[in-house]
Amino acid sequence: MDLEAPLEGWFTHLAWAIDLRLTGPFVRFSQKRAEHGRELARLAAELTAEEEVSTAHALEITAIPPIDGGPRYDLALLVHADEPLSDLLVERAAALGLDQPELALTARNAVRIGDTEERGGEILLNHFAGEASSEEAVGAWTSVARWYADKLGVDNSTLLEFTGEAPFLIMNYAVIPGKVVPFLVNQLLRPSFYRTVRGQLREVGITPFPLFARRLET
């Protein structure tokens, strides 16, 4: 597992709870969410064409594992650009009929493995919160990322380190191999997951809150 140079620029992550209803961990279909998702996908396409924007993705959340205290949203926008764009993106989303987002966060890329943008498939948005410093959280994730690469075949990670008054320290943005259920089962049935991953995260005092998503296209 080789670490790549972090991406320059800034990431802006907006998230909305449009019509969040679950069956178990899975997000149920919503016509209201689908309509907003189409608008958000068109905004992402417009942003991608702008010179200062590297990538922009509208994301629909598909599964939320039942972990108390985690984020609760079902639609998101993740933009990588030269500058932070939080206020501008909130305004442009409001013009499409979206309310104020549940989250409006700004981040830097702290650590990178492979190229998440080159992969297609299910998206993992793993938020981490706790009493640790951001530097400690980044160090802990870098340590456990090798386990995910070796045991589960996760060959990419764009780790975002949030700035300002954020409720989370970091978020791992990655494409997982295969589908969500086999990925989770493969993880949870391995004793080394509890010893290596959970153990190291507990040692530094951070808790993971994973969400799974898919990219929306126009």
Side-chain angles (χ1 to χ4, degrees), residues 37-105:
R38 285 191 289 272
E39 294 292 337
L40 206 60
R42 281 193 283 271
L43 174 57
E46 292 174 5
L47 290 166
T48 302
E50 297 177 6
E51 184 176 354
E52 67 274 17
V53 175
S54 299
T55 60
H57 296 295
L59 302 170
E60 181 180 20
I61 306 305
T62 58
I64 305 176
I67 304 173
D68 290 340
R72 305 276 295 180
Y73 59 84
D74 54 1
L75 204 60
L77 180 66
L78 182 62
V79 178
H80 176 208
D82 294 341
E83 302 292 339
L85 299 177
S86 181
D87 291 343
L88 175 63
L89 294 179
V90 169
E91 290 179 5
R92 292 180 69 167
L96 300 176
L98 286 113
D99 295 332
Q100 282 290 116
E102 299 289 316
L103 297 172
L105 306 176

Side-chain angles (χ1 to χ4, degrees), residues 154-178:
V154 181
D155 62 356
N156 69 100
S157 170
T158 303
L159 188 68
L160 305 183
E161 182 179 359
F162 292 117
T163 62
E165 297 294 325
F168 308 104
L169 298 165
I170 56 176
M171 182 177 76
N172 181 33
Y173 164 54
V175 174
I176 64 171

Side-chain angles (χ1 to χ4, degrees), residues 108-175:
R108 290 276 202 178
N109 177 212
V111 178
R112 186 165 66 98
I113 302 165
D115 190 340
T116 302
E117 296 303 327
E118 289 185 345
R119 276 79 171 171
E122 301 274 0
I123 303 294
L124 169 64
L125 302 172
N126 202 355
H127 312 64
F128 294 82
E131 299 301 320
S133 67
S134 294
E135 292 78 9
E136 290 171 329
V138 170
W141 171 250
T142 304
S143 178
V144 303
R146 185 173 298 279
W147 184 91
Y148 279 93
D150 293 343
K151 303 299 184 184
L152 300 185
V154 181
D155 62 356
N156 69 100
S157 170
T158 303
L159 188 68
L160 305 183
E161 182 179 359
F162 292 117
T163 62
E165 297 294 325
F168 308 104
L169 298 165
I170 56 176
M171 182 177 76
N172 181 33
Y173 164 54
V175 174

